Amino acid sequence: FDNTQLKALQEFLPTDEEARALKGYLAKASSSQEAKAKAMADLCACEQYMVAMLEVPNAAAKFDCMLFKTHFQSRLDEIMGEIVKLNDASEEVRSSERLRKLMAIILTVGNQINTGGEGNSQAAGFSLDALLKLEEAKAFDKRTSVLFYLVKLVKENDEGLLKFTEDIPSVSEVSGQMIDSLFGDLKQLSKELEEIQKTADVEADRLKDENGKFINYSRKKS
């Protein structure tokens, strides 16, 4: 069964009210096998399915297990694919010599503007949020933006640094990726897997005898 078929079958599981009604109906026809057979034949296909599922312990949870199995691998592959992209992008950022030099220039210019390049109050680094303010902050002349000044400075000294994006092609692919969302997907998958494990444990206990050994139903039937 595929995912769509399993969902449809799960939706037709009898509710508590339907289960009581069906059990009451069958109880009235319990006088003989012939009466039971006739009572079943009088039911529609959907009701016959419900009767059959009454014999399945914890049916809804077992359907959840089957549904989880059908889409587990695709969900995991999707999540892992995004994680691989994030790792690739991170490695490119760490390895880019041009980006490193550009960041060093930004830090130097920032210290020059803020402290004149003297004293012990120079910053050893800056946050990424500070990059967003480069267009707003003013350079030495109090008119030109720091961003404009930086571009001009780099062009005059090492224009190749402006092509740093060539070193980080994977970054654009993950620019819209929310890490919190990715972790949330992983957490949800893990939570569902725990529920599957609980269902499996319950079923395993049901199939064991008083000594903790699995019951051989095929031998029991013979």
Side-chain angles (χ1 to χ4, degrees):
F1 294 101
D2 60 24
N3 191 62
T4 302
Q5 292 170 321
L6 287 171
K7 282 184 177 180
L9 289 171
Q10 187 180 37
E11 288 176 0
F12 281 105
L13 288 175
T15 63
D16 291 341
E17 184 178 351
E18 290 169 334
R20 285 193 296 270
L22 287 169
K23 287 178 180 178
Y25 168 77
L26 293 174
K28 294 177 182 178
S30 61
S31 57
S32 66
Q33 288 298 116
E34 185 179 346
K36 288 182 180 180
K38 185 178 184 307
M40 283 293 292
D42 289 339
L43 296 174
C44 66
C46 180
E47 291 169 331
Q48 291 176 2
Y49 167 75
M50 289 182 179
V51 170
M53 295 311 296
L54 289 175
E55 303 299 321
V56 180
N58 208 15
K62 290 176 180 177
F63 267 108
D64 287 337
C65 291
M66 290 187 286
L67 285 166
F68 181 82
K69 182 178 181 294
T70 62
H71 56 63
F72 170 75
Q73 194 60 52
S74 60
R75 289 172 64 189
L76 182 62
D77 289 345
E78 182 179 354
I79 293 172
M80 294 307 298
E82 293 303 316
I83 291 176
V84 169
K85 289 180 182 178
L86 283 170
N87 283 336
D88 289 344
S90 299
E91 184 58 35
E92 288 171 1
V93 169
R94 284 194 296 265
S95 303
S96 174
E97 188 68 26
R98 285 187 282 194
L99 181 59
R100 187 180 298 111
K101 289 181 179 179
L102 194 58
M103 292 297 177
I105 293 173
I106 293 173
L107 178 61
T108 300
V109 170
N111 279 326
Q112 287 285 345
I113 293 174
N114 293 328
T115 69
E118 299 178 357
N120 298 321
S121 59
Q122 295 189 63
F126 55 85
S127 67
L128 293 178
D129 290 339
L131 295 175
L132 301 175
K133 301 175 182 179
L134 293 178
E135 192 171 6
E136 302 173 5
K138 299 304 179 182
F140 301 101
D141 58 7
K142 306 302 180 183
R143 295 191 305 273
T144 307
S145 71
V146 173
L147 179 61
F148 182 85
Y149 175 77
L150 280 168
V151 172
K152 180 181 178 182
L153 181 65
V154 172
K155 279 185 175 180
E156 292 175 351
N157 292 275
D158 192 351
E159 190 170 0
L161 295 181
L162 296 177
K163 296 181 180 181
F164 71 93
T165 54
E166 295 175 355
D167 302 337
I168 52 174
S170 299
V171 171
S172 60
E173 296 182 28
V174 297
S175 59
Q177 179 65 60
M178 301 294 292
I179 295 180
D180 288 345
S181 175
L182 196 58
F183 285 155
D185 292 341
L186 272 174
K187 186 176 181 180
Q188 178 62 31
L189 197 63
S190 178
K191 182 180 179 181
E192 291 177 28
L193 190 57
E194 288 177 3
E195 292 301 315
I196 300 303
Q197 184 62 58
K198 290 178 183 178
T199 301
D201 290 342
V202 170
E203 184 66 9
D205 291 339
R206 190 181 69 83
L207 297 175
K208 292 177 182 178
D209 59 22
E210 62 274 10
N211 297 318
K213 296 181 179 180
F214 284 104
I215 302 171
N216 190 333
Y217 281 95
S218 60
R219 181 179 298 176
K220 190 174 181 180
K221 290 179 180 179
S222 59

